[in-house]
Amino acid sequence: MSSIKQVQITFDCAEPERVARFWCEVLGYVGPPLPEGFATWDDFDRSLPPEHQGPASASCADPSGVGPRLYFQRVPEGKVVKNRVHLDVRAGTGLVGEERVATLEAECARLVALGAVRVRLLLADEDNESCLLMQDVEGNEFCLD
């Protein structure tokens, strides 16, 4: 019998700290604790030699330890085509019809205020419930489902 493995989801991005802050707000996750002796991450960053300033990576995790850790790493190239990993944020679990759509739209409005982009609402069909396609602050697609 094999054991269950934990996963980390890694995002390639231009601004790791910005994208990490966005996903912390979306999921209710938290970032790592500050290094001892620093009041903010900006203070820590300014303490580094100039060639190492500006975060090359950032992370966030489920404070309860249940969900996967998210890791964000700076890469030089921009997003060219559709992302190949797609997160579904479970905002309407167990809801159907107009109640589900209203819940998805309310969560969409909250995330748009954080910098997300609403792409389109996909209404329920014979096989799937409604979901709302969105983009994060760097254009990575995800769904509210």
Side-chain angles (χ1 to χ4, degrees), residues 27-108:
L27 300 174
Y29 275 29
V30 296
L34 283 166
E36 192 170 320
F38 295 95
T40 68
W41 282 104
D42 287 338
D43 291 343
F44 173 75
D45 192 49
R46 283 190 291 274
S47 76
L48 299 173
E51 65 273 12
H52 295 315
Q53 289 181 0
S57 65
S59 66
C60 61
D62 177 350
S64 70
V66 176
R69 179 178 189 259
L70 303 182
Y71 180 74
F72 306 88
Q73 61 186 3
R74 185 172 45 220
V75 295
E77 67 277 357
K79 181 179 178 292
V80 179
V81 295
K82 182 179 177 187
N83 47 297
R84 295 185 62 166
V85 174
H86 180 106
L87 299 183
D88 290 333
V89 178
R90 308 303 307 271
T93 302
L95 302 176
V96 297
E98 291 179 19
E99 183 181 18
R100 181 181 180 87
V101 171
T103 298
L104 298 177
E105 292 289 3
E107 182 65 358
C108 174

Side-chain angles (χ1 to χ4, degrees), residues 8 24 30-31 49-50 61 63 74 77 81 84 88 96 125 127 133 136 138 142:
Q8 169 175 282
C24 279
V30 296
R74 185 172 45 220
E77 67 277 357
V81 295
R84 295 185 62 166
D88 290 333
V96 297
D125 58 25
D127 298 321
L133 180 61
D136 74 7
E138 284 199 359
F142 68 98

